[in-house]
CSV table of all heavy atoms in Angstrom, one decimal:
chain,number,residue,atom,x,y,z
N,224,THR,N,106.5,108.2,104.2
N,224,THR,CA,107.9,107.9,104.6
N,224,THR,C,108.1,106.5,104.9
N,224,THR,O,109.1,105.9,104.5
N,224,THR,CB,108.3,108.8,105.8
N,224,THR,OG1,108.1,110.2,105.5
N,224,THR,CG2,109.7,108.6,106.3
N,225,ILE,N,107.2,105.9,105.7
N,225,ILE,CA,107.4,104.4,106.0
N,225,ILE,C,107.3,103.6,104.8
N,225,ILE,O,108.0,102.6,104.6
N,225,ILE,CB,106.2,104.0,107.0
N,225,ILE,CG1,106.3,104.8,108.3
N,225,ILE,CG2,106.4,102.5,107.3
N,225,ILE,CD1,105.2,104.5,109.3
N,226,LYS,N,106.4,104.0,103.8
N,226,LYS,CA,106.3,103.3,102.6
N,226,LYS,C,107.6,103.3,101.8
N,226,LYS,O,108.0,102.2,101.2
N,226,LYS,CB,105.2,103.9,101.7
N,226,LYS,CG,105.0,103.3,100.4
N,226,LYS,CD,103.8,104.0,99.6
N,226,LYS,CE,103.7,103.5,98.2
N,226,LYS,NZ,102.7,104.2,97.5
N,227,LYS,N,108.3,104.4,101.8
N,227,LYS,CA,109.6,104.5,101.1
N,227,LYS,C,110.6,103.6,101.7
N,227,LYS,O,111.5,103.1,101.0
N,227,LYS,CB,110.0,105.9,101.0
N,227,LYS,CG,109.2,106.8,100.1
N,227,LYS,CD,109.8,108.2,100.0
N,227,LYS,CE,109.0,109.1,99.1
N,227,LYS,NZ,109.5,110.5,99.1
N,228,THR,N,110.6,103.5,103.0
N,228,THR,CA,111.6,102.6,103.7
N,228,THR,C,111.3,101.1,103.4
N,228,THR,O,112.3,100.3,103.3
N,228,THR,CB,111.6,102.8,105.2
N,228,THR,OG1,110.3,102.4,105.7
N,228,THR,CG2,111.9,104.3,105.6
N,229,LEU,N,110.1,100.8,103.1
N,229,LEU,CA,109.7,99.4,102.8
N,229,LEU,C,110.0,99.1,101.3
N,229,LEU,O,110.3,98.0,101.0
N,229,LEU,CB,108.3,99.1,103.2
N,229,LEU,CG,107.9,99.2,104.6
N,229,LEU,CD1,106.4,99.1,104.8
N,229,LEU,CD2,108.6,98.0,105.4
N,230,ASN,N,109.7,100.1,100.5
N,230,ASN,CA,109.9,99.9,99.0
N,230,ASN,C,110.8,101.1,98.5
N,230,ASN,O,110.3,102.0,97.9
N,230,ASN,CB,108.5,100.0,98.3
N,230,ASN,CG,107.7,98.8,98.7
N,230,ASN,OD1,108.1,97.7,98.8
N,230,ASN,ND2,106.4,99.1,99.0
N,231,PRO,N,112.1,101.0,98.8
N,231,PRO,CA,113.0,102.1,98.3
N,231,PRO,C,112.9,102.2,96.8
N,231,PRO,O,112.7,101.2,96.0
N,231,PRO,CB,114.4,101.6,98.7
N,231,PRO,CG,114.1,100.6,99.8
N,231,PRO,CD,112.8,100.0,99.5
N,232,GLN,N,112.9,103.5,96.3
N,232,GLN,CA,112.9,103.7,94.9
N,232,GLN,C,114.1,103.1,94.1
N,232,GLN,O,115.2,103.0,94.7
N,232,GLN,CB,112.8,105.2,94.6
N,232,GLN,CG,111.5,105.8,95.1
N,232,GLN,CD,111.5,107.3,94.8
N,232,GLN,OE1,112.5,108.0,94.8
N,232,GLN,NE2,110.3,107.9,94.5
N,233,HIS,N,113.8,102.6,92.9
N,233,HIS,CA,114.8,102.1,92.0
N,233,HIS,C,115.4,100.8,92.4
N,233,HIS,O,116.2,100.2,91.7
N,233,HIS,CB,116.0,103.1,91.9
N,233,HIS,CG,115.6,104.5,91.6
N,233,HIS,ND1,114.7,104.9,90.6
N,233,HIS,CD2,115.8,105.7,92.3
N,233,HIS,CE1,114.5,106.2,90.6
N,233,HIS,NE2,115.2,106.7,91.6
N,234,GLN,N,115.0,100.2,93.5
N,234,GLN,CA,115.4,98.9,93.9
N,234,GLN,C,114.5,97.8,93.3
N,234,GLN,O,113.8,97.1,93.9
N,234,GLN,CB,115.5,98.7,95.4
N,234,GLN,CG,116.6,99.6,96.0
N,234,GLN,CD,116.9,99.2,97.4
N,234,GLN,OE1,116.6,98.1,97.8
N,234,GLN,NE2,117.6,100.0,98.2
N,235,VAL,N,114.5,97.8,91.9
N,235,VAL,CA,113.7,96.8,91.2
N,235,VAL,C,114.6,96.0,90.3
N,235,VAL,O,115.7,96.5,89.9
N,235,VAL,CB,112.6,97.5,90.4
N,235,VAL,CG1,111.6,98.2,91.3
N,235,VAL,CG2,113.2,98.5,89.4
N,236,LEU,N,114.2,94.8,89.9
N,236,LEU,CA,114.9,94.0,89.0
N,236,LEU,C,114.8,94.6,87.6
N,236,LEU,O,113.6,94.8,87.1
N,236,LEU,CB,114.4,92.6,89.1
N,236,LEU,CG,115.2,91.6,88.2
N,236,LEU,CD1,116.6,91.4,88.6
N,236,LEU,CD2,114.5,90.2,88.2
N,237,GLU,N,115.9,94.8,86.9
N,237,GLU,CA,115.8,95.4,85.6
N,237,GLU,C,116.6,94.6,84.6
N,237,GLU,O,117.7,94.2,84.9
N,237,GLU,CB,116.4,96.9,85.6
N,237,GLU,CG,116.3,97.6,84.3
N,237,GLU,CD,116.9,99.0,84.4
N,237,GLU,OE1,117.4,99.4,85.5
N,237,GLU,OE2,116.9,99.7,83.3
N,238,THR,N,116.0,94.3,83.5
N,238,THR,CA,116.7,93.6,82.4
N,238,THR,C,117.2,94.6,81.4
N,238,THR,O,116.4,95.4,80.9
N,238,THR,CB,115.7,92.6,81.7
N,238,THR,OG1,115.2,91.7,82.7
N,238,THR,CG2,116.4,91.9,80.6
N,239,VAL,N,118.5,94.5,81.1
N,239,VAL,CA,119.1,95.5,80.2
N,239,VAL,C,119.8,94.7,79.1
N,239,VAL,O,120.6,93.7,79.4
N,239,VAL,CB,120.2,96.3,80.9
N,239,VAL,CG1,120.8,97.3,79.9
N,239,VAL,CG2,119.5,97.1,82.1
N,240,LYS,N,119.5,95.0,77.9
N,240,LYS,CA,120.1,94.4,76.7
N,240,LYS,C,121.3,95.3,76.2
N,240,LYS,O,121.2,96.4,76.0
N,240,LYS,CB,119.1,94.2,75.6
N,240,LYS,CG,118.0,93.2,75.9
N,240,LYS,CD,117.1,93.0,74.7
N,240,LYS,CE,116.0,92.0,75.0
N,240,LYS,NZ,115.1,91.8,73.9
N,241,ILE,N,122.5,94.6,76.2
N,241,ILE,CA,123.7,95.4,75.8
N,241,ILE,C,124.3,94.7,74.5
N,241,ILE,O,124.5,93.5,74.5
N,241,ILE,CB,124.8,95.4,76.9
N,241,ILE,CG1,124.2,95.9,78.2
N,241,ILE,CG2,126.0,96.2,76.5
N,241,ILE,CD1,125.1,95.8,79.4
N,242,LYS,N,124.4,95.5,73.4
N,242,LYS,CA,124.9,94.9,72.2
N,242,LYS,C,126.4,94.6,72.4
N,242,LYS,O,127.1,95.2,73.2
N,242,LYS,CB,124.7,95.9,71.0
N,242,LYS,CG,123.3,96.1,70.7
N,242,LYS,CD,123.1,97.1,69.5
N,242,LYS,CE,121.7,97.3,69.2
N,242,LYS,NZ,121.5,98.2,68.0
N,243,LYS,N,126.9,93.7,71.6
N,243,LYS,CA,128.3,93.3,71.6
N,243,LYS,C,129.2,94.5,71.3
N,243,LYS,O,128.9,95.3,70.5
N,243,LYS,CB,128.6,92.2,70.6
N,243,LYS,CG,130.0,91.7,70.6
N,243,LYS,CD,130.2,90.6,69.5
N,243,LYS,CE,131.6,90.0,69.5
N,243,LYS,NZ,131.8,88.9,68.5
N,244,ALA,N,130.3,94.6,72.1
N,244,ALA,CA,131.3,95.7,71.9
N,244,ALA,C,130.7,97.1,72.1
N,244,ALA,O,131.0,98.0,71.4
N,244,ALA,CB,132.0,95.6,70.6
N,245,SER,N,129.7,97.2,73.1
N,245,SER,CA,129.1,98.5,73.4
N,245,SER,C,129.0,98.6,74.9
N,245,SER,O,129.3,97.7,75.7
N,245,SER,CB,127.8,98.6,72.7
N,245,SER,OG,126.9,97.7,73.2
N,246,SER,N,128.5,99.8,75.4
N,246,SER,CA,128.3,100.0,76.8
N,246,SER,C,126.9,100.5,77.1
N,246,SER,O,126.2,101.0,76.2
N,246,SER,CB,129.4,101.0,77.3
N,246,SER,OG,129.2,102.2,76.7
N,247,LYS,N,126.6,100.4,78.3
N,247,LYS,CA,125.2,100.9,78.8
N,247,LYS,C,125.4,101.5,80.1
N,247,LYS,O,125.9,100.9,81.1
N,247,LYS,CB,124.3,99.7,78.8
N,247,LYS,CG,122.8,100.1,79.0
N,247,LYS,CD,122.2,100.5,77.7
N,247,LYS,CE,120.7,100.6,77.9
N,247,LYS,NZ,120.0,100.9,76.6
N,248,THR,N,124.8,102.7,80.3
N,248,THR,CA,124.8,103.4,81.6
N,248,THR,C,123.5,103.1,82.3
N,248,THR,O,122.4,103.3,81.8
N,248,THR,CB,125.0,104.9,81.4
N,248,THR,OG1,126.2,105.2,80.8
N,248,THR,CG2,125.0,105.6,82.8
N,249,ILE,N,123.6,102.6,83.6
N,249,ILE,CA,122.5,102.3,84.4
N,249,ILE,C,122.3,103.4,85.4
N,249,ILE,O,123.1,103.5,86.3
N,249,ILE,CB,122.6,100.9,85.0
N,249,ILE,CG1,123.0,99.8,84.0
N,249,ILE,CG2,121.3,100.5,85.8
N,249,ILE,CD1,122.0,99.7,82.9
N,250,HIS,N,121.3,104.2,85.3
N,250,HIS,CA,121.0,105.2,86.3
N,250,HIS,C,120.3,104.6,87.5
N,250,HIS,O,119.6,103.7,87.4
N,250,HIS,CB,120.1,106.3,85.7
N,250,HIS,CG,120.8,107.0,84.5
N,250,HIS,ND1,121.8,107.9,84.6
N,250,HIS,CD2,120.6,106.8,83.2
N,250,HIS,CE1,122.2,108.3,83.4
N,250,HIS,NE2,121.5,107.7,82.5
N,251,ASN,N,120.6,105.2,88.7
N,251,ASN,CA,120.0,104.8,89.9
N,251,ASN,C,120.3,103.4,90.3
N,251,ASN,O,119.4,102.7,90.9
N,251,ASN,CB,118.5,105.1,89.9
N,251,ASN,CG,118.1,106.5,89.6
N,251,ASN,OD1,118.7,107.4,90.2
N,251,ASN,ND2,117.2,106.7,88.7
N,252,ALA,N,121.4,102.9,89.9
N,252,ALA,CA,121.8,101.5,90.3
N,252,ALA,C,122.0,101.4,91.8
N,252,ALA,O,122.4,102.4,92.4
N,252,ALA,CB,123.1,101.1,89.6
N,253,VAL,N,121.7,100.3,92.3
N,253,VAL,CA,121.8,100.1,93.8
N,253,VAL,C,123.1,99.4,94.1
N,253,VAL,O,123.5,98.4,93.5
N,253,VAL,CB,120.6,99.1,94.3
N,253,VAL,CG1,120.7,98.9,95.8
N,253,VAL,CG2,119.3,99.8,94.0
N,254,ILE,N,123.8,100.0,95.1
N,254,ILE,CA,125.1,99.5,95.5
N,254,ILE,C,125.0,98.1,96.0
N,254,ILE,O,124.1,97.8,96.8
N,254,ILE,CB,125.7,100.4,96.6
N,254,ILE,CG1,126.0,101.8,96.1
N,254,ILE,CG2,127.0,99.8,97.1
N,254,ILE,CD1,126.4,102.8,97.1
N,255,ASP,N,125.9,97.2,95.6
N,255,ASP,CA,126.0,95.8,96.0
N,255,ASP,C,124.8,95.0,95.5
N,255,ASP,O,124.6,93.9,96.0
N,255,ASP,CB,126.1,95.7,97.5
N,255,ASP,CG,127.3,96.3,98.1
N,255,ASP,OD1,128.4,96.2,97.4
N,255,ASP,OD2,127.3,96.8,99.2
N,256,ALA,N,124.1,95.5,94.5
N,256,ALA,CA,123.0,94.7,94.0
N,256,ALA,C,123.6,93.6,93.1
N,256,ALA,O,124.6,93.7,92.6
N,256,ALA,CB,122.1,95.6,93.1
Side-chain angles (χ1 to χ4, degrees):
T224 301
I225 299 175
K226 179 181 174 182
K227 287 181 180 178
T228 62
L229 293 172
N230 296 317
Q232 293 180 328
H233 312 305
Q234 291 193 20
V235 295
L236 182 64
E237 181 180 1
T238 300
V239 179
K240 293 182 179 180
I241 306 175
K242 295 181 179 180
K243 183 178 180 180
S245 65
S246 63
K247 189 84 170 183
T248 300
I249 309 299
H250 298 284
N251 302 313
V253 179
I254 297 176
D255 295 330

